């Protein structure tokens, strides 16, 4: 079976589901009992598979982990309560004070904020232009352990030099972590560019319906953890290929407790069944909308990796099977982005992304407000940047809404220009 959709629809069932249920049932039990102390001890010591306490996982999160594993063609997956929980747990589990991490300077706002938290904990952090592997290479130090990038950066859609950075990390023995939230396994598998670990916010495209939060980290199996200094003695068990994820699971779930609830895992698994269908629609809509927006007189710039005008269009076309659901735009000088946003009727003003519904947000005033003008300038975020996450509505309905909102913003600009002239 090679089709993603076929695989995730039938994988549970073919593995043997309780009572022959056509869909994997949900397990909400917190505790698990065993017939003998010997068996209980064997499960605790990792000698036998089994569940001990739901903070460390249960059959429902395990079923979702198996699905994501299939999607990423990974060696192992751990789920978390949110994407940020997955990122924080992974980096805290793998880093120590005095280590050095290289991150992309184009990061999701809260990941950027977490990099500052790591710095306060004594971890050295360099944020560099990840669209060039050379900038990453120039930042490598003797104590560098990890390189962390996003496939398509949110909100300006810069595409990281994934192949170049993957090669560099393989040569230098660095853990290469790729946040593939915006690409999802439908567009791109980070293992193809030698990623060690793949991070997903499951709250976004994989769940898709905007009714649940979740995160995941997948181990591609490409990194040899035997040479990684920070693996603690209890996790140096079995093949070294599994050590890193073992430590992330134990430290991340057992010690830090950012566990995904069974109810949420169940919902995410439902969403994942239609991932490929939804992605086809949102990505086709986003491309059509980006092409159309580029020709509107009120629009100064459109950022979308699917446009030939995008700085990394060629790279995106080479690496990804489509260009994602996210675009951003700047209006012509003199037009107010708030006028445009307030005039939207169908599109929701919201901070979420990769939802079934189309969402728009003024970036500098909201999600990237906290980092201030200098931080935004380093990320290429103009004060008037509007991010649009394109949903599955009919494209004609979307164009109609954007057309009337652009017209309204243009009229507002004309009125103000007229007032100034008087
Ligand atoms: C949303 C997002 C996250 C964080 O995920 P949450 O589930 O909201 O915690 C991380 N990375 C990227 C690229 C995101 O878009």
């Amino acid at each position: 079976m090679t089709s993603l959709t076929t695989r995730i629809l039938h994988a549970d069932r073919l593995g043997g589901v309780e009572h022959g249920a056509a869909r994997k049932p949900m397990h909400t039990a917190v505790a698990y009992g065993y017939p003998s102390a010997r068996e209980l001890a064997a499960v605790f010591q990792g000698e036998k598979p089994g569940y001990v306490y739901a903070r460390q996982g249960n059959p429902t999160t395990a079923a979702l982990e198996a699905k994501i594993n299939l999607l990423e063609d990974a060696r192992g997956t751990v789920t978390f309560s949110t994407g940020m929980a997955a990122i924080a747990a992974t980096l805290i589990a793998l880093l120590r004070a005095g280590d050095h991490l290289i991150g992309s300077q184009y990061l999701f706002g809260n990941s950027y904020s977490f990099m500052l938290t790591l710095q306060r904990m004594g971890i050295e952090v360099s944020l560099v232009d990840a669209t060039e592997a050379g900038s990453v290479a120039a930042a490598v130090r003797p104590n560098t352990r990890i390189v962390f990038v996003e496939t398509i950066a949110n909100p300006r859609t810069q595409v990281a030099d994934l192949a170049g950075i993957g090669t560099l990390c393989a040569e230098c023995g660095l853990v290469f972590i790729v946040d593939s939230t915006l690409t999802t396994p439908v567009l791109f598998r980070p293992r193809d560019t030698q990623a060690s670990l793949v991070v997903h916010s499951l709250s976004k495209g994989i769940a898709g319906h905007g009714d649940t939060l979740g995160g995941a980290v997948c181990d591609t199996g490409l990194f040899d953890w035997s040479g990684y200094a920070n693996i603690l003695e209890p996790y140096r068990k079995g093949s070294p290929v599994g050590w890193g994820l073992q430590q992330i699971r134990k430290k991340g779930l057992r010690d830090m407790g950012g566990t995904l609830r069974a109810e949420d895992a169940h919902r995410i698994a439902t969403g994942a069944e239609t991932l490929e269908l939804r992605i086809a629609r949102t990505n086709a809509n986003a491309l059509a909308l980006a092409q159309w927006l580029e020709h509107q007189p009120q629009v100064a710039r459109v950022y979308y990796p699917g446009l030939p005008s995008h700085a990394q269009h060629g790279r995106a076309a080479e690496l990804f099977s489509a260009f994602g659901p996210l675009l951003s735009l700047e209006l012509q000088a003199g037009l107010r982005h708030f006028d445009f946003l307030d005039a939207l009727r169908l599109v929701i003003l919201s901070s979420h992304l990769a939802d079934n519904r189309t969402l728009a947000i003024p970036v500098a005033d909201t999600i990237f407000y906290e980092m201030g003008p200098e931080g935004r300038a380093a990320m290429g975020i103009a004060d008037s940047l509007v991010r649009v996450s394109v949903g599955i509505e009919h494209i004609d309905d979307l164009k109609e809404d954007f057309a009337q909102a652009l017209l309204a913003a243009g009229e507002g600009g004309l009125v103000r220009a007229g007032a100034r002239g008087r």
Side-chain angles (χ1 to χ4, degrees):
M1 281 190 282
T2 50
S3 152
L4 284 187
T5 300
T6 308
R7 278 199 278 176
I8 56 173
L9 279 174
H10 294 282
D12 290 335
R13 195 179 57 79
L14 295 175
V17 165
E18 304 89 304
H19 316 295
R23 173 161 182 3
K24 176 82 179 169
M26 179 168 61
H27 293 263
T28 56
V30 166
Y32 294 81
Y34 290 90
S36 72
R38 185 186 297 272
E39 216 168 309
L40 177 66
V43 172
F44 257 84
Q45 291 169 21
E47 304 297 332
K48 272 190 81 168
Y51 302 96
V52 291
Y53 184 66
R55 181 170 3 94
Q56 283 144 265
N58 73 8
T60 305
T61 54
L64 177 63
E65 287 169 358
K67 278 197 171 66
I68 295 166
N69 231 16
L70 276 176
L71 291 173
E72 280 297 350
D73 195 13
R75 187 186 182 277
T77 294
V78 184
T79 52
F80 291 90
S81 54
T82 64
M84 282 318 301
I87 291 168
T90 299
L91 294 179
I92 291 175
L94 296 180
L95 290 169
R96 284 188 201 166
D99 286 345
H100 178 231
L101 171 139
I102 302 172
S104 167
Q105 76 191 44
Y106 312 117
L107 281 183
F108 172 67
N110 301 149
S111 299
Y112 169 81
S113 167
F114 183 67
M115 296 292 152
L116 304 183
T117 302
L118 287 176
Q119 255 173 347
R120 283 194 295 275
M121 292 167 61
I123 291 155
E124 297 168 24
V125 177
S126 305
L127 298 179
V128 303
D129 179 2
T131 63
E132 304 282 350
S135 332
V136 178
V140 173
R141 303 173 188 172
N143 58 338
T144 306
R145 301 255 179 262
I146 292 178
V147 176
F148 183 95
V149 307
E150 293 172 11
T151 49
I152 301 176
N154 161 15
R156 269 276 274 96
T157 74
Q158 296 94 339
V159 179
D161 184 359
L162 295 154
I165 298 171
T167 301
L168 174 77
C169 289
E171 280 168 11
C172 301
L174 302 175
V175 177
F176 181 27
I177 306 182
V178 176
D179 181 337
S180 188
T181 298
L182 279 190
T183 28
T184 81
V186 176
L187 265 53
F188 175 60
R189 294 235 181 92
R191 64 169 298 128
D192 294 341
T193 54
Q194 306 183 69
S196 320
L197 299 170
V198 184
V199 169
H200 285 290
S201 166
L202 303 175
S203 323
K204 311 288 174 54
I206 291 182
H209 296 70
D211 63 353
T212 183
L213 295 165
V217 54
C218 312
D219 183 352
T220 61
L222 298 179
F223 190 77
D224 176 9
W225 296 92
S226 62
Y228 192 78
N230 297 346
I231 302 295
L232 301 165
E233 199 47 45
Y235 312 124
R236 295 178 167 270
K237 254 194 213 169
S239 161
V241 177
W243 292 358
L245 200 70
Q246 203 152 229
Q247 181 154 310
I248 292 167
R249 182 183 289 279
K250 292 292 182 180
K251 291 286 147 193
L253 293 180
R254 197 196 56 196
D255 297 9
M256 295 178 219
T259 308
L260 182 64
R261 291 165 74 247
E263 287 86 346
D264 291 318
H266 198 71
R267 277 188 180 168
I268 294 165
T270 305
E273 291 188 353
T274 55
L275 175 65
E276 217 175 2
L277 284 72
R278 290 182 287 101
I279 293 288
R281 174 83 163 208
T282 58
N283 285 225
N285 274 354
L287 179 61
L289 195 63
Q291 287 166 341
W292 177 84
L293 282 166
E294 224 178 11
H295 292 107
Q296 303 311 304
Q298 301 90 344
V299 177
R301 292 289 311 260
V302 181
Y303 302 102
Y304 185 66
L307 297 176
S309 58
H310 189 280
Q312 293 92 33
H313 172 65
R315 175 183 295 161
E318 203 173 293
L319 291 174
F320 310 146
S321 62
F323 301 101
L326 201 81
L327 63 90
S328 51
L329 61 96
E330 291 161 23
L331 296 182
Q332 297 289 2
L335 304 190
R336 289 184 185 165
H337 60 311
F338 274 33
D339 289 349
F340 161 65
L341 287 165
D342 288 347
L344 290 165
R345 291 177 191 146
L346 193 64
V347 175
I348 305 167
L349 306 188
S350 166
S351 65
H352 189 42
L353 60 87
D355 192 278
N356 282 342
R357 298 153 197 81
T358 299
L359 317 170
I361 190 161
V363 175
D365 314 274
T366 59
I367 44 178
F368 286 75
Y369 180 72
E370 194 182 290
M371 69 181 49
E374 280 166 28
R376 288 194 294 272
M379 292 187 168
I381 296 169
D383 286 347
S384 65
L385 190 75
V386 169
R387 184 185 78 184
V388 179
S389 171
V390 183
I392 60 171
E393 298 94 340
H394 196 287
I395 185 64
D396 293 346
D397 297 328
L398 292 175
K399 281 185 191 166
E400 191 181 309
D401 197 28
F402 279 99
Q404 63 84 21
L406 286 171
L407 213 57
E411 281 163 5
L414 283 179
V415 167
R416 276 190 303 280
R420 272 198 299 276
R422 249 176 261 134

